[in-house]
Amino acid sequence: MTSVSTDKLPPSPTGEGVSAPDGPWKRLSAGLLSSPTAVLSGIGLILIVIAVLLAPLYANHVAHTDPFRSGLSAKIEIDGKKVPVMQRSTEGLGLGVTPIGPTWSGEYMLGADTQGRDVMARMLYGGRSSLLIAASATMLTLVLAAIIGVAAGYTGGLVDGVLSNLIDMMWAFPVYLLAISLSIVMIGKTIVLGPIELSSSSLIIPITIIGLVYVPYVARPVRGRVMAIKNSDFVLAARGLGVRRHRILLRHILPNVLSTLIVFAPMLTALNIVTESALSFLSVGVQAPNASWGTILQDGQALLYSRPTVALAPGIAIMVTVLLLNLFGDVLRDVLDPKSARGR
Amino acid sequence: MLTNFLSRLLRMVIVMFGISVITFLIFFATPGSDPAARIAGRNAAPETIAAVRHDFGLDRPLYVQYALMMDRLFITRDLTSFANRGQKIVPTIVSAAPATLSLVAGAAILWMALGAMTGIIAAAFRNRLPDKILMGASMMAVAMPVFWVGEMINLVTQSRLHDTWAFSWVPPLGYVPFTSDPAGWFLALVFPWICLALLYIGLYGRMLRTGIIETYQEDYIRTARSKGLSARRVLLKHATRTAIIPIVIMFGMDFGVLVGGAAVLTEVVFGINGVGRLTYQALKALDLPMIMATVLYASFFVVVANAIVDVLCVMIDPRMRRK
Amino acid sequence: MDLRVTSRRGRRGRALARLAITAAMIPAVAPALAQAQEAHRGGTMQLMAVASGGTLDPQINYTAQFWQLYSATYDGLVAFKKADGPESNTVVPDLAADMPTVSADGKTYTFTLRKGVKFSNGDDVTPEDVVASLQRIFKVSSPTSGSFYNGIVGADDCLSSPADCTLEGGVIADADANTVTINLVEPDPEFLFKLSVPHASILPKGTAAKDMGNTPIPGTGAYMFTSYDANNSLTMERNPHFVEWSADAQPEGYADKIEYKFGGTEESAVNAVMNGQADWSFDPLPADRLAELSTNATDQLHVHAQSAWWYAPMNVNIPPFNDVRVRQALNYAVDRNALVSVFGGPALAQPVCQILPPDFPGHEDSCIYTQDPGDTWSAPDMDKARALVAESGTKGEKVNVVTEDNAASRGVGTYLQSVLTDLGYDATVQTVSGDIQFTYIQNTNNNVQISVTQWYMDYPAASNFLNVLFGCGSFHPGSDSSINIAGFCDEEIDARMKSAMTLGATDPEAANAEWAKIDYAVMEKAPAVPLFTPRRLDLVSERVGNFEYSSLFNWLIAKSWVQ
């Protein structure tokens, strides 16, 4: 929900000299490895990815449960006694059914949700969706932003005018309307596009929507960067020497744009994880019975007062992941782009 | 100057026109969006639906409907909602605006003050413990979903610890108009302000810190220091002032978006009847007139904030003029 | 825009509270009681809701939220008795001095108006007001104009051109005799029910023939609306011209003022009531507070049965549910006990496997789809269900369940998806905003296979469930208003329903017995999965006394006191 105005900042001097293709990559890996923050947060992120990839293993062998199947009548054994997962209130007026709380053992480690499903197993599966959505949406954003930004910045004139207006429109556009509309359009439909099968339960909808949200956010700085390089003494000199346009684009502009995009990647992924949870909060994200951290958070809201763990767990998972991504992103930016480090 | 202003105005009109057309088209492309049956009520007879459809002009061509809607929104200002029959759109938004403005303005003061403090302190203690603590906290603030924070705040202040001395003063959720009860207004907004400001304190604090550290290394600061100015004076007077420019720019844009209704999650969680919550409810009910009005309202603020920011940029630093 | 968006939880009669109330109603203990009642008079009642109910026009609004308020602000010729429990289903004279005289052929109703009743603007209620009000139902295209009042002579012309509605020959005023005569095309045993709902409220004859929106219309009730802002608050104050004429029809209220605030969240409303900052909240109580409240606030909770059902209509015209075996299989497979858990436990929901709710006219206990078929549901029969699916050869087909985006509906939908998966289908769930879902699932163009929805009665008659939800007349392919969501049209059953309605005019008991058989016959074809009967749960603040519950209007606000 915030905005940047990086395109208004003075052009970065580093933009002018980067021409050797392998220079920045070496510097990148060296820079990252020399920073303990980057190494630790990187390891943390890898661990999270490994954990969510192991979700089926956990569900089958530790929790012994299918996290996508309602377990409203399920029972588990605690201290040798069979206990129902959905516990009916017996005191007072006997209203309400409360799912079992955290057992801190293999089955129902973090308790159950309103459907009597294992929250821990769902957390792992949910992490898969959340990370997949966030990462794919980031890719989508970066690609779209790069195309729009480079086209607007490099071509200038009318194209720039049209694209700049488009960017403004996207920034002010009610994305949730699009989300709601798309989710209704897709009800019970399956669209087959070659190998990709789109249905209402696929992750494509949240990915598309989240991917569109931040396009203006990235496209603006890309456009600014391209314009700055285009007008830099170095490029002007090259053009004076008769170097062709596409060569300038390939040799000078794209590598710089790429580094801007890489700087944005971790930060965007972090933002997208949070946006995914907001979409689920508005019920237009991942559809039941599939899980994402956002939908678990939404389930948890319905249990906030009786079983706060169900809301706390995904909240903490989101926080930790976003934190690690930002820490890593900070270092990445410092390494790639020390001068334009403006805090985000 | 005038041509500049006019071209800005033109651009604003184009953007708002584009958004309204897209919104309109998306609405009619959505299956189940036809409001006639919803307006008519459950189990309405086909004749009743036909009468309602005619009444609301839903049987006319799309471009006529669009023109009529714009006419009733901007000229006659008597556009009524599809979901709450008889509810007039323009007065509803006008009456919701103060709540959003109170929320966003208060939060803005909070985040600017605390954000500046965080940034300056962290820069002053660069790479030492206070810096690390503040930056860690800022990152946490940025990493938490705002509605989740809000729910947790509500859980503690409205229920779990409401009966203790610490939170017994917390009023029920909702907005209290300033004009009817200034003290109640303040109390009701304390936690929404904190919740909304948290993210921005983190963002602005981090940005200010980096900015100060960067400018610290620039030549004229070195000159100031070599001239024997005290470290504190240099930090407060020169370094902070330069570093605050991008923050002012960002502030303009964030403020615009939030006033336009982007504080929706905070408003929903804290039950504040502002523009954001209005947008949210309109979207849930697919109430086209209200969606249209709130979307245009929001885009107006976004576009105006963009324009102001651009002008400010050029004023502060002529080097930034668009080439 | 409709009743079902609203009330979701009910109550189990608490004997003590009810005894006290009954005692309070007995006139024999009058003197001491009158004093006690005088002491309770006054104060301001504080109500809350997350959102308002829309337009304030009683002839248009179709929400349980505002109908509850109309019960104390507007009157019809007749009214549902303002009483606690089943008694609230009886019709009593209201603006009419007595029950109408009905002609032998059942087509002519003559009402004599009460004398001296005034609107809140000071005008007398006259026969002309009655004629104007009944015309206005058509002029403003009231939701029920075509379904409730289309039986009045002249209604057809009114429906086709609302603006020129006269109801010529249908509604005749006689100012000298102070009577109004209503002529029907056909005898209608439910006509007095239809005149008792707020859409037939009597309003001043000068009321504009358009949706009055947020502008209050003067009424005859104990209270009048004094301000309304749909996004903020509503205020009701005593009607200065009100003199109690019948405690059964329109009792005088206790509180001097009723304030209704819109905003906040369901959770915060519970907190506000528990913290003494509000007296009651309209929205269903959040499920995670129930256990806590049922021990902490036993005296503040009121559970009441509702004449309603939650059900999953299955589209009988598209695969896989066009095969009756598949529909029966799902009926066998659904574990109603599990669904009761989703809804807050057995105190709040009762498993059902038939259409008419318990204690409803025409209801006779019967359950076909259970382990041991008989009177009541006992357990799911998965073996039978799997066998039926295998027989139908539809295994592996795609099925999509469309639910609303609230916790309860999503919970039910997710459970159904799980059951369908167990039966071998490729099942998914799709959540749609509640306001849109209800019309979306009705339209055959959207090809919804199965959905989760609810139906609350408009008035206590079996046809309001069976004929409305499964009659051929309420199936309109391609329309958003086709309340026969399953698209179920069985000519033989439809003919039986028609004759049962005719029979009801002369022999209600025989008709109800026939309705019970029709209920059974429809369930044999299984166009829907009955899920459970919801109960309404109300939480009031500690200071609220004398809680009475009407089946149609929920809590009778005017009859409770706050001091």
Side-chain angles (χ1 to χ4, degrees), chain C residues 270-295:
Chain C
V270 173
N271 293 332
V273 173
M274 292 305 287
N275 297 335
Q277 295 152 327
D279 291 309
W280 172 83
S281 148
F282 169 74
D283 302 284
L285 300 182
D288 61 333
R289 306 299 293 275
L290 297 178
E292 163 203 339
L293 291 174
S294 69
T295 52

Side-chain angles (χ1 to χ4, degrees), chain B residues 2 17 25 37 77 81 96 107 130 133 137 139 188 208 229 231 234 241 287:
Chain B
L2 188 70
F17 174 74
L25 292 179
R77 308 233 183 121
S81 152
I133 291 176
M139 251 183 201
L208 188 60
L229 291 180
V234 172
R241 198 193 281 165
D287 178 7

Side-chain angles (χ1 to χ4, degrees), chain C residues 185-380:
Chain C
V185 180
E186 293 284 327
D188 180 358
E190 293 156 14
F191 188 61
L192 287 179
F193 288 142
K194 295 171 179 171
L195 283 183
S196 304
V197 300
H199 288 160
S201 294
I202 304 306
L203 307 172
K205 55 179 171 288
T207 310
K210 60 169 181 117
D211 187 342
M212 293 295 283
N214 296 359
T215 317
I217 303 173
T220 45
Y223 292 91
M224 59 179 188
F225 295 112
T226 49
S227 76
Y228 177 48
D229 171 357
N231 199 34
N232 205 353
S233 66
L234 177 150
T235 331
M236 290 160 70
E237 283 171 69
R238 283 187 191 281
N239 171 359
H241 298 283
F242 178 77
V243 181
E244 187 179 271
W245 61 80
S246 159
D248 283 346
Q250 186 60 260
E252 184 159 24
Y254 282 103
D256 284 341
K257 197 174 173 188
I258 297 169
E259 281 181 1
Y260 211 140
K261 285 213 164 62
F262 309 117
T265 60
E266 284 93 344
E267 294 279 4
S268 73
V270 173
N271 293 332
V273 173
M274 292 305 287
N275 297 335
Q277 295 152 327
D279 291 309
W280 172 83
S281 148
F282 169 74
D283 302 284
L285 300 182
D288 61 333
R289 306 299 293 275
L290 297 178
E292 163 203 339
L293 291 174
S294 69
T295 52
N296 293 348
T298 42
D299 295 335
Q300 291 161 255
L301 283 173
H302 300 271
V303 193
H304 281 98
Q306 294 186 112
S307 301
W309 68 325
W310 274 64
Y311 67 111
M314 293 171 279
N315 192 334
V316 300
N317 299 313
I318 54 173
F321 296 116
N322 55 359
D323 187 326
V324 66
R325 290 168 296 196
V326 181
R327 305 198 296 266
Q328 289 169 337
L330 190 59
N331 259 302
Y332 277 116
V334 168
D335 182 352
R336 270 81 172 174
N337 262 336
L339 289 168
V340 163
S341 287
V342 172
F343 204 71
L348 289 176
Q350 185 181 343
V352 287
C353 53
Q354 63 195 112
I355 296 159
L356 294 173
D359 300 325
F360 202 73
H363 171 93
E364 262 171 43
D365 279 343
S366 117
C367 187
I368 319 176
Y369 304 108
T370 171
Q371 205 132 53
D372 310 294
D375 283 350
T376 53
W377 183 88
S378 57

Side-chain angles (χ1 to χ4, degrees), chain C residues 32 60 65 81 100 103 110 152 240 246 270 293 312 316 325 342 347 372 388 402 445 478 489 547:
Chain C
I60 292 174
Q65 185 177 6
K81 192 171 176 183
S103 65
T110 308
I152 302 176
S246 159
V270 173
L293 291 174
V316 300
R325 290 168 296 196
V342 172
D372 310 294
L388 282 164
V402 180
N445 294 342
C489 178
F547 190 99

Side-chain angles (χ1 to χ4, degrees), chain A residues 12 34 101 185 239 274 337:
Chain A
S12 140
S34 68
V185 170
R239 286 173 82 172
V274 177
D337 211 2

